[in-house]
Amino acid sequence: MGEAFASHGFASTLIEHNMSNLVSMLGGTVLASIIQSSTAAIAIGIQLYANEVLSLEAVISIMMGANVGTCLTAVLAAFGAGRGAMQTAMANVFLNLGGALLFLPFVSLFAYFVMQLTTDPATQVAHASVLFNVICSLLLLPFIHPFASLVERVTGEK
């Protein structure tokens, strides 16, 4: 079943590009932007991984990209909702994009670590998603004031 799905669209594009983590991340970003759901994009990745079509590294990259791609929905919604909404949406974009770019060079190491936690493919991806989001948030905490200043500059001063 995995091979049949891989011969169409998204999966075959990733396979043709040698499963590059950057290409996988961009694919996750585009997919989540189009379907407006990071959860659905990650679920697709989990099924491809469970069917041995994609590697855990590729699915982690897709997950990171999906986190970025789903921000598009918040940005679009914020256009008519005021400055506070746009600040929240842009903070989400910066956090997810910054985290993805920070993690990208370490995807292989991160995938190895996650594989040590469990053998179940869906649980591995779930662990990776939770760890990615918690680590990114914790790394941002010491820089919260400069981060807030950046968001304010991008969205316009008070």
Side-chain angles (χ1 to χ4, degrees):
M1 177 163 173
E3 282 101 5
F5 189 84
S7 66
H8 297 89
F10 182 67
S12 67
T13 301
L14 293 177
I15 291 167
E16 289 170 13
H17 286 94
N18 295 323
M19 308 307 284
S20 154
N21 293 336
L22 179 60
V23 171
S24 296
M25 188 178 89
L26 293 173
T29 301
V30 170
L31 181 61
S33 295
I34 291 169
I35 63 177
Q36 296 184 354
S37 173
S38 60
T39 303
I42 294 167
I44 291 168
I46 288 171
Q47 286 306 307
L48 292 172
Y49 174 49
N51 287 299
E52 300 179 358
V53 175
L54 297 179
S55 68
L56 180 57
E57 291 175 8
V59 177
I60 288 172
S61 298
I62 290 168
M63 175 268 300
M64 294 186 312
N67 282 348
V68 175
T70 200
C71 294
L72 177 65
T73 304
V75 171
L76 291 174
F79 273 116
R83 187 169 172 273
M86 186 57 78
Q87 285 179 325
T88 302
M90 293 309 296
N92 192 28
V93 169
F94 292 148
L95 174 64
N96 285 311
L97 183 58
L101 294 175
L102 182 69
F103 261 74
L104 198 58
F106 307 104
V107 169
S108 296
L109 182 64
F110 188 49
Y112 175 78
F113 173 75
V114 168
M115 283 191 279
Q116 305 313 305
L117 301 175
T118 182
T119 57
D120 178 59
T123 306
Q124 288 175 342
V125 178
H127 286 333
S129 182
V130 169
L131 288 169
F132 168 76
N133 285 298
V134 168
I135 291 169
C136 288
S137 296
L138 290 175
L139 287 174
L140 181 64
L141 281 178
F143 308 102
I144 199 69
H145 292 295
F147 182 75
S149 294
L150 171 67
V151 171
E152 286 181 350
R153 279 195 308 272
V154 168
T155 58
E157 292 298 324
K158 294 179 186 178

